[in-house]
């Protein structure tokens, strides 16, 4: 018996050994590069920045976490979470008809077309998509033009003069930031909702109709509860991605910061890595709670 | 009997799909505008000169493009190796902690990119590692493993263990079995996973801004053009190139895996 043959038999009789050998390189890579880096980050959040010298003091302290509760930082967190919630709800509303049609009525090539039509924007370049919206929302851009052609310029002006969400133009307002977020994350909502709806048995809906439910009642009492895990699964993406993004509000939006931007400025220009690290713990914590809740609602089966 | 979709539902679905696709059309329109200082709509005139301008007059585009292609290629190769190993191991094995390990591979894309980015950045700081092509590759290979892993794992689930046993019974050794039995079955999944990994890496910007230092990949070049525009239509020309470089592999990946479902999926 040659060595290779003997080796093959050894692996066949001891599959655990082969598993270990196969698993070691990827586990070491992720373990060292990624988990190691995450732990290093977490460690830094317990350090603090000396206010006078601007040097990082490498001693255990909770002072940095205390700084998170300063008024301006609380505002940043509140603003980001509100945006994430608004984006999530809107994505769910826009996604539902697409998912429902694709899951229940589209067949054959129409279905493939729907799938590609959702997958292509999902995978196409993030920056290109954000750029497209910079073009759309610009003051001299297409929305202003359409509003002018339809004699609706007054409505656009009224929208922009709304306090808080308005601004000098759509590309310098919360409305703009919100629209771009919804656009970019929408496919992440459509796919899990569609997956959940695919699994609603058709005869259940027929049974509801046979038992005298109106289409509206069927929708509310049968379809919606069964689609809910899919919506929750999609919301994990839309919520988490909005919490951590710092490019979109930088390109389209007013100058008020979101969590991502705060982290970026703190670690960059300000050199305050401890506070930046403490800031990243916020989305991690929120997502941890969110995932625990989603798990209880059975959202992971719909992923 | 399957009833027809209502008008409201059809309109809702159509409007949603239009919302997803119309914005990208504008990228193409603005690549031909004669106006370079603003985003005026409708464009005052049309020209094709930005395409030649991007090619001949803007040497600043080439180094980022080449760096992006290089990083994407290396990251894809690493992701193919690690993703396939992980899928092969976790497909066969049943042991305590298996789910935690598969979660480990998903984590880099489940957590917001900014966390991955700053974590790697501070780790490089602590280790005193200078920024280079390799620091970018390190980040990209970490979050592209999962797409290869998912694709290959799905394929392994649909191929049968008995083929491997048969090959061994017929006297093939491990490398021979891998070469003649396993590889042909997972080839299209590898191709699809690899192309998705390539597209993902080529396009990544958030993690890259933390791991690149002073270097510029194509997405970073584009981000700078978005924040401080000059010759705006040239940015559109580059955007069209990016669309082509990412769209084609993704489309190809879709058709490759779809074909695969009919052929390799037959063994139960």
């Amino acid at each position: 018996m040659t060595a290779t043959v003997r080796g093959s038999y050894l692996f066949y009789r001891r599959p655990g050994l082969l598993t270990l050998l196969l698993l070691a390189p990827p586990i070491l890579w992720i373990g060292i590069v990624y988990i190691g880096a995450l732990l290093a980050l977490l460690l830094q959040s317990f350090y603090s920045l000396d206010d006078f010298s601007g040097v990082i003091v490498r001693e255990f302290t909770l002072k940095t976490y205390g700084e998170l509760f300063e008024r301006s930082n609380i505002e940043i967190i509140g603003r980001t979470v509100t945006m994430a919630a608004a984006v999530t709800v809107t994505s769910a509303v826009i996604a539902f008809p697409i998912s429902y049609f694709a899951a229940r009525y589209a067949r054959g090539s129409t279905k493939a077309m729907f799938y590609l039509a959702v997958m292509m924007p999902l995978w196409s370049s993030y920056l290109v998509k954000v750029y497209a919206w910079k073009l759309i929302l610009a003051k001299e851009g297409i929305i202003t033009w359409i509003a002018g052609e339809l004699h609706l310029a007054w409505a656009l002006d009224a929208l922009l003069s709304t306090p808080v969400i308005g601004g000098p133009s759509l590309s310098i307002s919360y409305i703009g930031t919100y629209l771009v977020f919804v656009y970019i994350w929408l496919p992440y909502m459509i796919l899990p909702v569609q997956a959940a709806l695919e699994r609603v048995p058709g005869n259940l809906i027929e049974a509801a109709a046979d038992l005298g439910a109106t289409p509206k009642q069927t929708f509310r009492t049968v379809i919606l509860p069964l689609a809910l895990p899919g919506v929750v699964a999609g919301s994990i993406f839309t919520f988490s991605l909005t919490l951590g993004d710092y490019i979109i509000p930088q390109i389209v939006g007013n100058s008020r910061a979101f969590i991502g931007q705060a982290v970026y400025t703190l670690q960059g220009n300000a050199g305050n890595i401890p506070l930046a690290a403490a800031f990243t713990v916020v989305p991690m914590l929120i997502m941890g709670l969110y995932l625990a809740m989603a798990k209880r609602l059975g959202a992971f089966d719909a992923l | 009997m399957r009833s027809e979709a209502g008008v409201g539902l059809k309109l809702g679905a159509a409007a949603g799909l239009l919302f997803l696709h119309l914005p990208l059309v504008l990228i193409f329109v603005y690549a031909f505008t004669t106006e370079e200082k603003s985003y005026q709509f409708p464009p005052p005139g049309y020209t094709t000169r930005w395409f030649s301008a991007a090619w001949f007059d803007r040497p600043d585009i080439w180094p980022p493009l080449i760096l992006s292609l290089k990083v994407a290629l290396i990251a894809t190769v690493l992701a193919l190796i690690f993703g396939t190993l992980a899928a092969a191991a976790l497909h066969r094995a049943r042991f305590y902690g298996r789910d935690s390990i598969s979660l480990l591979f998903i984590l880099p894309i489940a957590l917001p990119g900014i966390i991955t980015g700053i974590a790697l950045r501070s780790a490089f700081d602590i280790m005193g590692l200078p920024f280079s092509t390799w620091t970018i590759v390190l980040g990209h290979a970490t979050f592209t493993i999962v797409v290869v892993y998912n694709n290959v794992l799905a394929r392994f689930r649909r191929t049968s263990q008995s083929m491997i046993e048969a090959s061994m019974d017929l006297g093939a050794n491990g490398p021979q079995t891998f070469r003649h039995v396993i590889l042909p079955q997972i080839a299209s999944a590898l191709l699809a996973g690899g192309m998705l990994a390539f597209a993902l890496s080529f396009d990544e910007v958030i993690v890259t801004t933390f791991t690149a230092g002073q270097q510029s990949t194509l997405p970073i070049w584009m981000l700078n053009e978005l924040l401080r525009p000059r010759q705006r239509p040239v940015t559109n020309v580059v955007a069209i190139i990016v669309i082509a470089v990412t769209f084609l592999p993704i489309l190809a990946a879709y058709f490759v895996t779809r074909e695969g479902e009919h052929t390799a999926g037959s063994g139960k």
Side-chain angles (χ1 to χ4, degrees):
Chain A
M1 252 200 293
T2 63
T4 23
V5 173
R6 211 173 305 139
S8 308
Y9 277 111
L10 178 66
F11 284 142
Y12 192 76
R13 280 201 308 272
R14 301 272 312 273
L17 196 64
L18 180 60
T19 305
L20 193 70
L21 265 175
L22 289 173
L23 209 49
I27 284 286
L28 284 176
W29 178 276
I30 293 272
I32 293 171
V33 174
Y34 191 67
I35 301 299
L38 276 183
L39 290 177
L41 181 69
L42 208 60
L43 183 71
Q44 302 226 35
S45 69
F46 292 104
Y47 293 160
S48 65
L49 192 77
D50 190 291
D51 292 332
F52 298 106
S53 60
V55 176
I56 294 167
V57 184
R58 301 200 167 196
E59 278 170 35
F60 179 84
T61 172
L62 288 174
K63 178 176 157 259
T64 310
Y65 281 99
E67 285 170 25
L68 274 186
F69 293 96
E70 280 169 17
R71 198 190 143 91
S72 59
N73 292 339
I74 287 286
E75 273 176 14
I76 292 176
I77 295 168
R79 184 179 300 138
T80 312
V81 172
T82 312
M83 178 63 84
V87 167
T88 300
V89 171
T90 314
S91 306
V93 171
I94 300 180
F96 211 91
I98 303 178
S99 308
Y100 193 64
F101 188 89
R104 287 206 32 88
Y105 298 105
R107 284 290 168 271
S109 60
T110 322
K111 198 170 185 101
M113 193 278 285
F114 256 88
Y115 181 74
L116 270 181
V118 176
M119 282 310 274
M120 294 309 271
L122 174 78
W123 279 95
S124 63
S125 169
Y126 164 85
L127 269 181
V128 170
K129 285 185 286 187
V130 180
Y131 182 41
W133 278 89
K134 199 175 166 73
L135 301 173
I136 294 171
L137 298 173
K139 201 172 183 62
E140 67 276 16
I142 188 167
I143 289 195
T144 312
W145 179 74
I146 291 175
E149 293 288 300
L150 297 175
H151 304 287
L152 285 173
W154 56 271
L156 187 60
D157 289 337
L159 186 66
L160 284 174
S161 55
T162 318
V164 185
I165 60 166
S169 83
L170 280 174
S171 61
I172 317 176
S173 70
Y174 283 142
I175 304 175
T177 321
Y178 158 82
L179 281 173
V180 182
F181 271 134
V182 170
Y183 174 76
I184 306 269
W185 309 139
L186 182 61
Y188 292 88
M189 180 63 90
I190 297 175
L191 292 173
V193 175
Q194 186 186 337
L197 285 170
E198 299 268 6
R199 273 178 289 197
V200 178
N203 53 19
L204 221 59
I205 293 161
E206 282 160 29
D210 290 346
L211 293 169
T214 63
K216 231 179 219 158
Q217 281 173 320
T218 310
F219 181 78
R220 220 184 47 236
T221 54
V222 179
I223 298 170
L224 210 52
L226 288 171
L228 193 66
V231 176
V232 176
S235 75
I236 294 172
F237 292 107
T238 56
F239 205 83
S240 160
L241 291 167
T242 311
L243 281 186
D245 194 279
Y246 78 96
I247 305 261
I248 292 171
Q250 199 182 351
I251 294 175
V252 176
N254 56 35
S255 53
R256 292 198 194 87
F258 285 76
I259 291 179
Q261 286 164 291
V263 171
Y264 189 71
T265 343
L266 281 171
Q267 65 85 35
N269 300 333
N272 192 346
I273 302 250
L275 187 55
F279 248 119
T280 59
V281 174
V282 177
M284 283 199 256
L285 216 62
I286 295 175
M287 284 322 294
L289 288 174
Y290 203 95
L291 288 175
M293 201 183 72
K295 197 169 177 184
R296 294 188 60 176
L297 288 169
F300 290 116
D301 307 327
L303 276 177
Chain B
M1 205 183 85
R2 178 169 296 275
S3 54
E4 263 293 296
V7 180
L9 179 64
K10 274 184 183 163
L11 280 179
L17 285 187
L18 281 180
F19 174 66
L20 275 178
H21 288 268
L22 280 185
L24 289 176
V25 176
L26 275 187
I27 293 281
F28 287 84
V29 173
Y30 275 95
F32 296 97
T33 182
T34 48
E35 169 66 43
E36 64 169 290
K37 294 270 187 296
S38 77
Y39 299 121
Q40 190 189 337
F41 191 91
Y46 294 93
T47 170
T48 52
R49 77 185 177 93
W50 303 115
F51 286 85
S52 63
W55 186 273
F56 296 110
D57 308 339
R58 293 292 296 267
D60 56 315
I61 296 172
W62 295 100
L65 177 63
I66 290 163
L67 180 63
S68 279
L69 288 172
K70 199 166 110 187
V71 167
L73 267 179
I74 305 173
T76 303
V77 171
L78 286 173
L80 279 174
I81 296 170
F82 292 138
T84 310
L85 288 176
L90 292 182
H91 156 69
R92 309 160 24 97
R94 295 283 171 275
F95 57 89
Y96 180 74
R98 179 176 173 274
D99 289 342
S100 318
I101 290 179
S102 69
L103 184 70
L104 206 61
F105 293 114
I106 298 168
L107 209 57
I109 55 166
L111 283 180
I114 193 160
I115 295 179
T116 310
I118 188 178
L120 288 171
R121 171 74 164 262
S122 59
F124 296 155
D125 273 353
I126 290 172
M127 293 188 293
L129 208 65
F131 294 115
S132 67
T133 309
W134 293 101
T135 51
I136 308 179
V137 168
L138 222 57
H140 285 203
T142 306
F143 62 75
T144 46
I145 290 177
V146 63
V147 283
V148 177
Y149 169 75
N150 275 345
N151 263 285
V152 177
L153 188 66
R155 178 60 51 83
F156 271 136
R157 283 195 184 128
R158 285 191 277 109
T159 54
S160 69
Q161 188 69 25
S162 52
M163 299 241 312
I164 296 166
E165 282 166 16
S167 154
M168 303 290 260
D169 287 346
L170 293 168
N173 60 31
Q176 282 173 328
T177 305
F178 178 79
R179 166 79 188 77
H180 296 290
V181 179
I182 302 176
L183 200 58
Q185 294 201 49
I186 63 168
S188 64
L190 282 178
L191 191 64
M195 283 188 288
L196 291 176
F198 185 89
L200 197 64
S201 163
F202 186 78
D203 180 45
E204 213 290 329
V205 63
I206 293 190
V207 177
T208 318
T209 50
F210 288 94
T211 56
Q214 297 300 315
Q215 309 163 83
S216 194
T217 61
L218 200 61
I220 291 184
W221 177 89
M222 222 169 129
L223 181 62
N224 287 330
E225 292 295 309
L226 291 193
L227 295 172
R228 285 171 292 277
R230 62 172 182 138
Q231 280 193 322
R232 297 174 194 221
V234 169
T235 314
N236 287 73
V237 173
V238 175
I240 292 175
I241 297 170
V242 172
I243 291 176
V245 172
T246 47
F247 257 47
L248 296 177
I250 292 156
L251 207 59
Y254 169 75
F255 284 108
V256 162
T257 42
R258 211 177 51 147
E259 298 273 300
E261 256 154 56
H262 301 302
T263 51
S266 46
K268 180 93 175 128

